[in-house]
Amino acid sequence: MANFEVNWSGSRYCLCYGEWTIRRNGVDVSDLIPDNLRNNHMDTRKEYSAWHFTEDWDEEWEYYFDGLSAKKWVRKNRYWISKICSNREEEFQLYHAINALDWRHSSCGGCI
């Protein structure tokens, strides 16, 4: 079983501005992340939040589920994760590591 270290460099009030890094057993394999995903959310499924202003300019937060289940995400992304993972168990392990840090636009409130 591989040891994955996943990091999203965006944080706090700039959550949507960052870059993914993935290390497999201590080796940086981030160059295998496709360009269209390297600086974007990874579309994993969990509860996210988003905000907007009410008519009175109060902040209002909404919570929602979005993204692909582990099985669908692995199927959709196998073209690149198969270069990182050596078996299906590792593919799901990578999904869960990414899912723990995945995000959506408007989820940190930094642009309020």
Side-chain angles (χ1 to χ4, degrees):
M1 171 101 47
N3 177 28
F4 291 106
E5 298 169 44
V6 173
N7 185 55
W8 171 252
S9 63
S11 65
R12 301 209 34 136
Y13 305 113
C14 289
L15 186 61
C16 61
Y17 182 74
E19 183 173 75
W20 289 103
T21 55
I22 300 174
R23 296 177 72 79
R24 182 182 192 272
N25 297 331
V27 177
D28 190 347
V29 292
S30 304
D31 61 322
L32 298 174
I33 301 170
D35 290 340
N36 65 321
L37 294 175
R38 191 170 311 217
N39 301 102
N40 206 348
H41 68 80
M42 288 277 196
D43 200 26
T44 63
R45 183 161 183 77
K46 67 179 178 183
E47 185 176 36
Y48 296 97
S49 58
W51 67 273
H52 65 273
F53 287 118
T54 65
E55 288 181 11
D56 298 323
W57 294 99
D58 294 323
E59 298 168 22
E60 185 169 276
W61 288 88
E62 295 177 356
Y63 297 89
Y64 63 97
F65 283 90
D66 189 37
L68 299 173
S69 67
K71 189 175 183 178
K72 289 179 181 178
W73 186 88
V74 165
R75 191 176 319 125
K76 178 181 178 181
N77 292 287
R78 187 163 280 134
Y79 73 96
W80 68 272
I81 63 174
S82 65
K83 298 172 187 172
I84 296 172
C85 304
S86 59
N87 58 53
R88 287 191 54 105
E89 187 175 335
E90 288 183 3
E91 292 172 344
F92 286 100
Q93 183 183 357
L94 179 60
Y95 170 88
H96 291 294
I98 290 171
N99 180 256
L101 298 174
D102 210 357
W103 55 276
R104 292 297 186 273
H105 291 281
S106 298
S107 52
C108 72
C111 39
I112 290 180

